[in-house]
Amino acid sequence: MANEKPSLTRELFHGTIDDSILFPYPRISDQEDRLVSEFIGRLRAYCEANLDREWIDENERIPEEAIEELKRMGLFGISIPKEHGGMGLSQSAYCRIFEYVTGFDPGLGIMLGVHLSIGIKGIQLAGNEAQKALYLPKAATGEWFASFALTEPEAGSDAAGIKSRAERQDDGSWILNGSKIWIGNGSFSEIIVAFAQTPVQRDGKTVDRVTAFILRPGMPGFERGPALRKMGARGSNQAELYFKDVRVPAENVLGEPGEGFKIAMRVLNSGRQGLSAGAAGGVKQCLRLATDWARRREQFGQPLVSYESIQGKLADLAADAFTAESVAYFTTGLNDRGDVDYALESAAAKVWNSDALDRAVDEVVQIAGGRGFVKGYPYERMYRDARITRIFEGTNEVLRLFVGLSGLQGPGEALKEVAAALREPVKQIGLLTDFAAGRVRLALGGGEPALEAELNPRLQTHFDYLVEHTRDLRIAAERALRRHGKKIPERQFIVTRLGDMAIELYVRAATLSHTQALLQARAAGATVAPPFTSTRQPLDDDSVQRILRLCDLACMRSGLRFRAAREALNGSRDDLVRAVAADVIAQTDAPTDTHPMGEQGRAAHPTAAGPARPGETAGEPRMGM
Ligand code: MYA
């Protein structure tokens, strides 16, 4: 990935830990911290007194009076700059509020996340002054909700493969045709940032490149499908959008023509950070619910918490919650500091935290037993609500490949340079020496990356493992490149494992950085929010011991997962797996009831085939549905 800014995760593939990025763990200002705590306090009071999550789930919408009240509170403008009428919060502060909202009700969280994390974000990142002045103030008050319209029936993970198309007209306007699916806030959004292929000039040739457009509902030819019905997060709204010869004025192009794919990807980095914070909140909520249930529920004459099989689950949940919180806010901090790249890190945080949430909801249902499966308790709803997090904003499978392949580009370039140097050894002697030194250091196991920050000695063993495992990643990456060369993108088993190794290293590094900051706060007598809380306070010795135990367990578990991915690289089963897959693909009977693929939008998609509810007309905008 061509990017000038340094990336902690990309460096890991070179065997290096950039401690100038890793330390110190980011911290929002005291002033912002007070603002956020106070805002969450007001939100909590309102939501707990006025919103019923069961009702939202059953009725598949957020009550309109609640949306109106949340608008008055300023919720829909928290991350929009002050000069445009918002609260101007940093990404870390925004994500703390977002985490609360998502933890309260994921449907409401998705409505907010679609609006602020991705819907309006493109205009914040790439809009010109006139566009910002027109759209941001209306978005900040919630008068106009925003949507991000990228996904299409035939382009989900393959975002660059979208088919919607716009042609420039003589007067500079564009004519847009196509359709979008699963568009969040799609039934009622007033600002729709939509992506389409457009012809652009590159190197003297006309080629198709993606361009971003700002659409408004009143544009002739713009239509919406009915709201979709879902497994979970049912308070949120998704609809299909259709564009038939929609005339889009020239001033509604966002950024430059042809720049749309990059804009979409930058927006998604922000979305993935929000999602990872929301998922961290979900893991913490599962920890609270599971512990509370296991304390109260007695079996065989003892509370569940007295049994080791349950204690093991609670400890694992706590370690995951600590890691998820650490990596979520480490990543938002990268965004806030502005001088580093965070594309791989946002993907890694999204993958790890959504996987952790999946484990957490599964365990909470398991601990609650039969009551985990029935209505009347929160557990089955949480289980359903969480499932989408491994799918949207980039499936975890595609994002693992993204981390693996993007990370491999660096060592790939280095190997190419070495190959060139070998052809002209005299001119390139310096490069060869550097490269050889790198290999020798690796072979001897010495050459620790210089750690400029002073590490707490209690964390040294974990850091040593981190260093050793980072070397393992570099060696594994080089081996994979030497063995598979240009064919490496096809070797998805290998790329996924390398992606997993890098993701584990990144989240472990973030956990260590977080722990180091907590220990430093204790040493300095400063206030800090202990794990799983958002209130800053001084730490005592007992809480420090608890934090260290959490960090120990989190790092050990991460080490084991890293080792499993590294050992799987030997690939002794890969040929067998490929052969069995080939047998399955060739031999398995189709089910008797096959399902349409949704290629034709409402014509082929069963949930979009007619009115969403009796009495509702297809395409009729419905707030919160
Ligand atoms: S919205 C829809 C989500 N869709 C996706 O996420 C699509 C996934 N696919 C992709 O991301 C891309 O297609 C992949 C690569 C990654 C597969 N940052 O050649 P390339 C640059 C910056 O790799 P491809 C939704 O779900 C790259 O450097 N730049 O491209 C709403 C290169 O530039 P250069 C990036 O192979 C859900 C160029 O692009 C990035 O085609 C609502 C091409 O790259 C990046 N990340 O694709 C959720 N990636 O040539 C609301 C690529 O200069 C939130 N590039 O090097 C609610 C949360 C609630 C939580 C609930 C908890 C309970």
Side-chain angles (χ1 to χ4, degrees):
M1 187 192 285
N3 196 313
E4 300 307 312
K5 293 182 180 173
S7 148
L8 185 61
T9 307
R10 268 206 315 266
E11 281 305 308
L12 295 172
F13 282 83
H14 290 280
T16 311
I17 299 165
D18 188 337
D19 58 335
S20 71
I21 302 181
L22 185 54
F23 299 110
Y25 189 76
R27 177 185 163 101
I28 61 175
S29 70
D30 289 345
Q31 190 201 8
E32 217 179 24
D33 181 61
R34 275 194 298 278
L35 198 68
V36 166
S37 301
E38 191 266 333
F39 195 87
I40 293 177
R42 283 196 291 130
L43 264 182
R44 177 176 287 122
Y46 176 77
C47 290
E48 287 182 1
N50 296 285
L51 281 176
D52 175 350
R53 290 170 261 216
E54 293 288 328
W55 188 95
I56 293 173
D57 186 51
E58 290 287 323
N59 291 278
E60 303 184 34
R61 66 190 176 89
I62 311 291
E64 286 204 18
E65 58 280 12
I67 295 172
E68 289 309 311
E69 183 52 32
L70 295 170
K71 282 183 193 173
R72 276 192 286 277
M73 291 172 81
L75 177 65
F76 298 108
I78 53 179
S79 59
I80 291 177
K82 279 189 188 151
E83 67 265 31
H84 295 297
M87 210 189 277
L89 293 182
S90 64
Q91 178 75 350
S92 301
Y94 159 67
C95 282
R96 266 182 54 194
I97 297 179
F98 180 70
E99 179 192 323
Y100 170 74
V101 174
T102 306
F104 182 82
D105 180 72
L108 180 59
I110 290 173
M111 181 187 196
L112 178 65
V114 167
H115 177 58
L116 288 181
S117 296
I118 56 175
I120 203 66
K121 191 56 92 177
I123 297 181
Q124 278 180 250
L125 291 173
N128 57 37
E129 287 314 312
Q131 290 166 339
K132 288 181 183 172
L134 178 59
Y135 298 109
L136 296 185
K138 299 254 191 217
T141 56
E143 187 182 342
W144 287 358
F145 278 99
S147 285
F148 173 82
L150 177 67
T151 306
E152 299 187 356
E154 287 175 66
S157 291
D158 178 11
I162 56 172
K163 300 264 189 306
S164 289
R165 204 174 166 76
E167 301 284 347
R168 203 199 294 252
Q169 307 301 296
D170 292 343
D171 64 357
S173 68
W174 298 74
I175 296 291
L176 170 67
N177 281 288
S179 67
K180 300 285 172 181
I181 53 169
W182 327 133
I183 302 309
N185 296 346
S187 292
F188 52 83
S189 50
E190 294 271 342
I191 306 167
I192 301 102
V193 174
F195 298 85
Q197 301 288 354
T198 52
V200 295
Q201 293 298 311
R202 292 283 186 272
D203 304 324
K205 288 197 202 115
T206 305
V207 291
D208 277 352
R209 288 288 181 274
V210 175
T211 296
F213 297 95
I214 306 171
L215 307 185
R216 298 296 324 283
M219 291 176 169
F222 173 90
E223 270 191 59
R224 313 176 195 255
L228 300 176
R229 307 201 61 193
K230 306 180 293 291
M231 171 200 277
R234 295 168 70 180
S236 70
N237 165 280
Q238 286 78 22
E240 302 191 3
L241 305 179
Y242 315 109
F243 316 132
K244 176 132 193 0
D245 292 331
V246 177
R247 185 176 288 275
V248 187
E251 63 267 25
N252 285 34
V253 171
L254 185 59
E256 292 298 317
E259 268 188 2
F261 188 73
K262 287 251 176 109
I263 294 173
M265 293 300 119
R266 285 174 64 206
V267 167
L268 283 170
N269 291 338
S270 147
R272 288 166 190 162
Q273 290 165 20
L275 203 161
S276 95
V283 179
K284 290 186 259 181
Q285 183 66 356
C286 288
L287 175 66
R288 287 185 203 104
L289 284 169
T291 312
D292 177 57
W293 181 260
R295 273 196 204 114
R296 292 188 289 125
R297 172 78 173 157
E298 288 194 6
Q299 284 294 278
F300 308 106
Q302 301 281 346
L304 294 187
V305 285
S306 65
Y307 297 108
E308 277 192 357
S309 56
I310 299 295
Q311 291 166 7
K313 291 181 192 297
L314 297 180
D316 284 349
L317 259 173
D320 276 4
F322 184 51
T323 303
E325 181 177 81
S326 302
V327 74
Y329 293 99
F330 183 80
T331 311
T332 59
L334 296 180
N335 187 338
D336 287 330
R337 58 185 275 173
D339 61 344
V340 294
D341 189 39
Y342 47 77
L344 272 61
E345 292 72 11
S346 306
K350 187 277 182 185
V351 169
W352 204 92
N353 283 9
S354 57
D355 277 353
L357 179 61
D358 216 44
R359 293 193 289 273
V361 290
D362 190 63
E363 287 297 26
V364 86
V365 166
Q366 191 69 15
I367 290 171
R371 289 167 184 82
F373 191 68
V374 295
K375 299 231 177 245
Y377 297 85
Y379 316 114
E380 63 85 28
R381 179 168 42 79
M382 291 176 71
Y383 190 83
R384 288 186 285 109
D385 285 345
R387 189 58 186 84
I388 188 64
T389 60
R390 283 170 47 213
I391 298 172
F392 65 14
E393 301 216 325
T395 65
N396 287 7
E397 288 72 15
V398 122
L399 292 183
R400 283 190 163 89
L401 292 169
F402 169 63
V403 171
L405 279 176
S406 307
L408 280 169
Q409 280 180 19
E413 286 303 316
L415 288 179
K416 256 192 255 164
E417 282 180 41
V418 172
L422 287 170
R423 283 193 294 274
E424 288 187 279
V426 180
K427 271 197 232 157
Q428 312 238 13
I429 198 87
L431 180 64
L432 278 176
T433 319
D434 289 351
F435 188 75
R439 306 276 316 164
V440 171
R441 274 211 311 272
L442 284 174
L444 295 177
E448 313 287 272
L451 181 68
E452 283 165 18
E454 206 172 302
L455 188 74
N456 187 300
R458 182 60 179 70
L459 303 180
Q460 191 61 52
T461 309
H462 297 314
F463 201 80
D464 291 346
Y465 269 113
L466 188 72
V467 169
E468 194 181 311
H469 287 169
T470 303
R471 280 198 207 107
D472 290 349
L473 176 62
R474 174 184 162 163
I475 293 169
E478 280 183 18
R479 249 187 222 142
L481 284 164
R482 283 173 195 284
R483 179 141 179 238
H484 300 287
K486 281 194 187 131
K487 291 223 153 48
I488 192 72
E490 291 160 38
R491 301 270 67 96
Q492 292 195 346
F493 292 149
I494 291 171
V495 178
T496 297
R497 287 166 197 147
L498 292 170
D500 264 331
M501 287 162 76
I503 291 169
E504 277 305 333
L505 291 177
Y506 173 66
V507 299
R508 205 187 320 159
T511 307
L512 283 170
S513 176
H514 188 192
T515 309
Q516 160 92 352
L518 292 166
L519 298 180
Q520 273 172 340
R522 165 70 182 148
T527 59
V528 66
F532 320 144
T533 69
S534 51
T535 317
R536 289 188 182 170
Q537 50 198 273
L539 297 178
D540 59 19
D541 285 337
D542 282 351
S543 42
V544 165
Q545 291 311 316
R546 283 196 295 274
I547 290 164
L548 283 169
R549 283 194 289 271
L550 271 181
C551 175
D552 289 345
L553 186 58
C555 288
M556 283 175 195
R557 281 164 54 79
S558 168
L560 289 174
R561 283 188 295 265
F562 180 90
R563 198 168 72 184
R566 186 190 59 203
E567 283 173 5
L569 275 175
N570 297 334
S572 53
R573 279 184 300 120
D574 288 357
D575 286 343
L576 178 62
V577 171
R578 273 189 283 270
V580 171
D583 293 343
V584 167
I585 293 160
Q587 302 298 328
T588 307
D589 292 338
T592 45
D593 53 337
T594 49
H595 303 281
M597 302 279 287
E599 281 165 57
Q600 299 300 319
R602 75 182 113 186
H605 199 280
T607 54
R613 293 286 179 286
E616 185 186 346
T617 347
E620 181 184 315
R622 271 182 71 149
M623 179 65 82
M625 257 301 304

